[in-house]
Amino acid sequence: MLRRFRGLSLAWQVLGITAAVCVTVTAAYMAVFSAYSERAALAQAEAALRTQVGLVRGTLDLAYENGRARAERQVDLFIRLEQGVPKPDGSSATLGATPAVPTLRLRDQVVNGSTRALEELRALTGAEAAVIVRKDDRFVRAATLLKDANGQPLHGSVLPATDVIARALAAGKPATEMVVRNGRQYAIHVRPLVDESGRVYGGLTARIDLSREVEALAGALARTPVGATGYAWVLAPGANADAGRFVI
């Protein structure tokens, strides 16, 4: 082929070389353009994903802040309705299965085992409150609306040391957390009760059921595709770095 090419006239040789150069340049241009287009498409997709993730995060932050504020207000309302906070009277008695539980009183009424104030708050706002009392280095439910599998009140039940309520009271600082109970999402606020020496003797808690808000958010996310076929998921961390659970 090279011998035939040399036998061509100069004009045809120039034309052939020019054509070959044009084909080579065009192929190189198309390769560069394709790579650039792919990178541009990826960058555009990444920017869109970042925007949508930011919107989801902002919505979750708003839902969290709203739930936290509502739970905190319920404890404040409980205190106003009861015109004070429960205080130990120096005595103790068996409560549920736990012996020698310190007795709390509020306006001369025994709080331990009483659900009157808790039921009034639930009827008024839907929030579930509880009163916790300290026994030695553990925390016990003095009054609660929670019941066991047999429908019996959990008055006198000891909180696990890892429970969000026990951890907040042990630290002696108010805390608000999102928790899952029986598959439902709640915002729970924990307010320590301290004596004149600054020692935590118990606490007040209020939890708000956020299931309706979470379901509404899940519906909104389901109607918001990511790109052409993707959808957003919300994961919560598990007990370790290798575990997690789907929130939405």
Side-chain angles (χ1 to χ4, degrees), residues 70-115:
R70 286 173 57 198
E72 292 176 1
R73 287 197 300 268
Q74 301 311 307
V75 173
D76 294 332
L77 179 59
F78 178 89
I79 295 173
R80 289 200 301 271
L81 290 174
E82 295 304 310
Q83 302 175 21
V85 298
K87 295 182 179 181
D89 66 2
S91 67
S92 63
T94 298
L95 183 62
T98 306
V101 176
T103 301
L104 297 179
R105 286 182 177 269
L106 179 59
R107 291 186 294 149
D108 296 328
Q109 295 182 358
V110 174
V111 172
N112 294 30
S114 173
T115 60

Side-chain angles (χ1 to χ4, degrees), residues 9-248:
S9 65
L10 180 61
W12 279 105
Q13 288 183 11
V14 172
L15 180 60
I17 293 173
T18 302
V21 170
C22 287
V23 169
T24 302
V25 170
T26 300
Y29 173 79
M30 293 299 294
V32 171
F33 180 77
S34 177
Y36 175 79
S37 297
E38 183 177 354
R39 286 197 299 269
L42 288 174
Q44 184 177 5
E46 182 178 357
L49 287 173
R50 288 183 181 276
T51 299
Q52 289 181 305
V53 168
L55 291 173
V56 171
R57 179 177 179 179
T59 303
L60 289 173
D61 286 344
L62 181 61
Y64 172 77
E65 291 299 329
N66 181 56
R68 183 176 70 173
R70 286 173 57 198
E72 292 176 1
R73 287 197 300 268
Q74 301 311 307
V75 173
D76 294 332
L77 179 59
F78 178 89
I79 295 173
R80 289 200 301 271
L81 290 174
E82 295 304 310
Q83 302 175 21
V85 298
K87 295 182 179 181
D89 66 2
S91 67
S92 63
T94 298
L95 183 62
T98 306
V101 176
T103 301
L104 297 179
R105 286 182 177 269
L106 179 59
R107 291 186 294 149
D108 296 328
Q109 295 182 358
V110 174
V111 172
N112 294 30
S114 173
T115 60
R116 177 198 58 80
L118 310 183
E119 290 171 349
E120 289 179 356
L121 182 67
R122 181 169 63 180
L124 185 63
T125 69
E128 294 187 4
V131 181
I132 312 299
V133 65
R134 184 173 198 156
K135 173 180 165 56
D136 301 324
D137 60 346
R138 304 299 296 273
F139 292 96
V140 179
R141 294 184 177 94
T144 179
L145 296 173
L146 297 178
K147 297 182 179 181
D148 63 18
N150 298 318
Q152 297 300 311
L154 289 176
H155 306 312
S157 56
V158 179
L159 292 169
T162 56
D163 187 272
V164 61
I165 298 174
R167 288 190 286 107
L169 295 179
K173 297 180 180 180
T176 305
E177 299 286 349
M178 296 297 177
V179 297
V180 178
R181 296 286 188 268
N182 299 320
R184 300 181 71 86
Q185 305 279 339
Y186 293 91
I188 184 168
H189 178 63
V190 185
R191 185 83 54 86
L193 299 175
V194 299
D195 58 22
E196 295 179 354
S197 67
R199 178 180 179 273
V200 175
Y201 65 81
L204 299 175
T205 73
R207 71 176 190 175
I208 302 293
D209 189 346
L210 298 179
S211 297
R212 291 177 58 184
E213 288 85 345
V214 172
E215 290 172 1
L217 179 58
L221 291 180
R223 295 188 297 271
T224 308
V226 178
T229 59
Y231 290 91
W233 298 89
V234 179
L235 292 170
N240 55 65
D242 298 324
R245 59 179 176 81
F246 283 104
V247 176
I248 297 175

